[in-house]
Amino acid sequence: MLVNAGQTRGRRPTTDHAAIERAAFRLFAERGFEETTVDAIAEAAGIARRTLFRYYPSKNDIPWGRFEAGLAHLREFLRAMPHDIPVWRAVHRAVLDFNRLDEAAVPQHRERMRLLLTTPALQAHSALKYAAWRRVIAEYVAVRRGLSPDDLLPRTVGHVSLGMALSAYEQWLDSEDLSLSELLDSALSGLRLYLCEDHDGRHPAAGGG
Amino acid sequence: MLVNAGQTRGRRPTTDHAAIERAAFRLFAERGFEETTVDAIAEAAGIARRTLFRYYPSKNDIPWGRFEAGLAHLREFLRAMPHDIPVWRAVHRAVLDFNRLDEAAVPQHRERMRLLLTTPALQAHSALKYAAWRRVIAEYVAVRRGLSPDDLLPRTVGHVSLGMALSAYEQWLDSEDLSLSELLDSALSGLRLYLCEDHDGRHPAAGGG
DNA sequence: CGAATTGCGGCATCGAGTGCAATAAGGATT
DNA sequence: AATCCTTATTGCACTCGATGCCGCAATTCG
C-alpha cells in the first residue's frame, strides 16, 4: 500500500492509515470497541464506509496498525543474529527488540495492547496475527537447527516464545510500574527455573538470564 | 443446559447438541466450514435457525462440543495430583490426561481438531476457549507456588503449556503415524533441551522426560 | 379442563463484510 | 485545452451471523 508512495499518477488518496487509526482509537476510548460501529469510524475519519474497508480488511485489523512491518524487522533482526549464541538466547533478544519501546510511545502502546488483550473480538482475531509472528520464530529455529519450520521443535518454540511474550504483556498491563523488558526477562528466567525443578522439588542453579 | 435432564415439565426438546453436531460436521466435511451457512445446518438438523442459536451461542462454538466438561475434569485431575512431584511434571501429566483418546474416538477427534486448527474463523474463536484452559493451569501453578493466578509465572506456564499442546496437535495432524501422547512428551523434552543449551552451544544432560 | 411451564420458531433488525459499477481527481499526451 | 489513462472514492445491493421480541406448541399438574 505504501509501495506507491512516490506515485504521481491518478487521484491522490484523501486519507491514510494513521488518520483512520486516530479517529478509530478516539472512538474506542470513548465508547469501547464493540460499541463503535464501522460507520461511526468512517464518519469520524471523513471517509465512506466502503473506503475504510479498502484501507483495513476488517474492523478488527484497525488496532493492529503496521504489524506486518514489525514482522519484517523481526525476521531481519534474527537473520543478523550471530550463530555462536544459543538459539533460545537469540530468540529472546529478538523478542526483546520486537517489543522495545520509546519512552514517548509507551502510553499509546499501552492503550493499544489493552484493547487487543481485553476485547474478546480482538483476542480472537489476534490469534491470526500471532500465527504469522510464530512462523517467523519457527523459521529461525528451523534454520539454526537444520529442521523444517513445520517440525515439532520450531513450532513449539514459536508457541512458547509467544506465550511468554503474552504473559509478560498481561502482567505489564496489570502492574504499571514494571517495564516490558524486565517482564520478558522474568518470564524467561521463571520458565527456565520452572522446567528445571527436579524430582525432589529442589531448584538447581540455572545460569544466565 | 443439561442440568434439567430429568425435567418432566413443559414441552420436550425436539433435538440435542449431539444431533446438531452430527448434522453440522457432515456439512462441514462436504462443503467446508465457511461455506456452510447457519441456515443450512439448522435445516439439516431439522430445526429452526433461531432454535440452533439457543443450543449454541455461535456457529463457531459448534465444533467445540463439550469443552467445558473437559475443563472441569482437568481441574479435578490437577487437584488430585500429589504435591511431592515437581509442578511442571504434574501439569504435564494433566495435559496428557486431558488429551487422552480412546482408539475408537481418534478419527472423529482428528477431524474436529483439523477443523479447529485450520479454519481461520475457528483459529480465531478458539483463542477464547484457550483462555479458559490456560486459567485452569495457572490456578494450579498458583496454588502450588503460593501465588496469584494473575502473577507472571502461573500465566506463563498456562501460555507455555498451551503452546506445547498446540504444536503437538499441529504435528499430530501433519504426521498421521505419531500418537498425541508421544508428541506431547517430545514437545516437553524438546523444550527442556532447548532452554538448557548453554552459551557454547553444548547440550548438558537434562534428566527425566 | 385450565393454568403454569418449557421449548420452538417466525419476524424484524443490526452490524460486518463484499462485489460491482459509477464517479471524482489527478497527470500525461497530443 | 481537450482527451486519455490511471488511481481513489463512493454508493448500492446483497449475504451472513447474531439478537430481541413475541406468539405458538406441547406437556404436566391441580
Side-chain angles (χ1 to χ4, degrees):
Chain A
M1 300 225 182
L2 280 185
V3 178
N4 300 341
Q7 193 114 10
T8 178
R9 290 273 276 272
R11 179 175 180 170
R12 270 165 297 192
T14 60
T15 186
D16 56 24
H17 290 85
I20 297 174
E21 223 171 288
R22 270 195 304 275
F25 267 89
R26 190 169 53 73
L27 292 177
F28 295 158
E30 286 172 10
R31 325 177 192 172
F33 181 83
E34 315 264 17
E35 292 73 22
T36 303
T37 67
V38 171
D39 295 81
I41 301 171
E43 189 182 348
I47 57 176
R49 164 202 177 73
R50 196 66 185 79
T51 303
L52 193 154
F53 278 113
R54 293 182 60 260
Y55 279 82
Y56 292 94
S58 81
K59 177 185 171 185
N60 289 335
D61 282 295
I62 298 178
W64 273 95
R66 306 206 66 62
F67 181 65
E68 307 302 326
L71 283 193
H73 185 272
L74 175 63
R75 203 175 284 113
E76 199 42 54
F77 186 95
L78 282 167
R79 198 198 322 275
M81 214 64 191
H83 276 208
D84 63 345
I85 63 173
V87 183
W88 65 265
R89 195 173 283 275
V91 169
H92 185 63
R93 284 195 198 161
V95 172
L96 285 174
D97 179 74
F98 184 79
N99 295 293
R100 205 182 36 193
L101 285 174
D102 290 345
E103 192 63 42
V106 169
Q108 195 174 348
H109 190 60
R110 240 192 149 81
E111 178 59 16
R112 184 193 298 273
M113 294 310 294
R114 193 193 60 76
L115 208 59
L116 289 175
L117 293 181
T118 65
T119 307
L122 293 176
Q123 288 173 2
H125 182 72
S126 298
L128 305 176
K129 301 283 185 179
Y130 296 154
W133 188 93
R134 292 198 316 259
R135 183 75 187 181
V136 174
I137 303 292
E139 281 169 354
Y140 175 73
V141 174
V143 166
R144 285 287 305 265
R145 288 285 164 92
L147 299 170
S148 155
D150 294 326
D151 283 340
L152 183 60
L153 181 72
R155 273 179 172 164
T156 302
V157 174
H159 276 288
V160 167
S161 302
L162 174 67
M164 286 189 283
L166 288 178
S167 59
Y169 263 109
E170 290 165 0
Q171 206 64 20
W172 186 61
L173 292 179
D174 279 4
S175 66
E176 191 77 36
D177 43 67
L178 289 168
S179 84
L180 197 45
S181 314
E182 288 168 342
L183 286 164
L184 288 166
D185 285 343
S186 299
L188 176 62
S189 59
L191 179 64
R192 280 164 59 86
L193 279 174
Y194 166 83
L195 284 179
C196 287
E197 186 184 3
D198 69 16
H199 294 190
D200 300 324
R202 285 168 302 162
H203 290 250
Chain B
M1 299 226 184
L2 281 184
V3 178
N4 301 341
Q7 193 111 12
T8 178
R9 287 276 273 272
R11 180 174 180 170
R12 270 163 298 194
T14 59
T15 186
D16 56 26
H17 290 84
I20 296 174
E21 221 170 291
R22 271 195 302 277
F25 268 89
R26 190 168 52 71
L27 292 177
F28 295 158
E30 287 173 7
R31 325 176 193 174
F33 181 82
E34 314 265 18
E35 293 72 23
T36 303
T37 67
V38 170
D39 296 80
I41 301 171
E43 189 183 347
I47 58 176
R49 163 200 180 74
R50 194 67 187 78
T51 302
L52 193 153
F53 278 111
R54 197 172 292 107
Y55 281 81
Y56 292 93
S58 80
K59 177 185 171 186
N60 288 335
D61 282 295
I62 299 178
W64 272 95
R66 305 205 68 61
F67 181 65
E68 309 302 327
L71 282 193
H73 185 270
L74 175 63
R75 203 175 283 114
E76 201 41 55
F77 187 95
L78 281 168
R79 197 198 322 274
M81 215 63 193
H83 275 208
D84 63 345
I85 62 172
V87 184
W88 66 266
R89 195 174 285 275
V91 169
H92 185 63
R93 283 196 199 159
V95 172
L96 285 173
D97 179 75
F98 185 79
N99 295 292
R100 205 183 35 194
L101 284 174
D102 290 345
E103 191 65 40
V106 168
Q108 195 175 347
H109 191 61
R110 242 194 147 79
E111 178 58 15
R112 184 191 299 272
M113 295 310 294
R114 193 192 60 77
L115 209 58
L116 289 175
L117 293 181
T118 65
T119 307
L122 294 176
Q123 289 173 1
H125 182 73
S126 298
L128 305 176
K129 302 284 185 177
Y130 296 153
W133 189 92
R134 292 198 315 261
R135 182 77 187 179
V136 175
I137 303 293
E139 281 168 355
Y140 176 73
V141 174
V143 166
R144 284 289 304 267
R145 288 286 164 90
L147 298 170
S148 155
D150 293 325
D151 283 339
L152 183 60
L153 181 72
R155 273 180 172 164
T156 302
V157 174
H159 275 289
V160 167
S161 301
L162 174 66
M164 284 190 285
L166 288 178
S167 58
Y169 263 111
E170 290 165 0
Q171 208 63 21
W172 185 60
L173 291 179
D174 279 3
S175 67
E176 191 76 38
D177 43 67
L178 289 168
S179 83
L180 197 44
S181 313
E182 289 168 340
L183 285 165
L184 288 166
D185 285 343
S186 299
L188 177 62
S189 59
L191 179 64
R192 281 165 58 86
L193 279 173
Y194 166 82
L195 284 180
C196 288
E197 184 184 5
D198 70 16
H199 293 190
D200 301 324
R202 285 168 303 161
H203 290 249

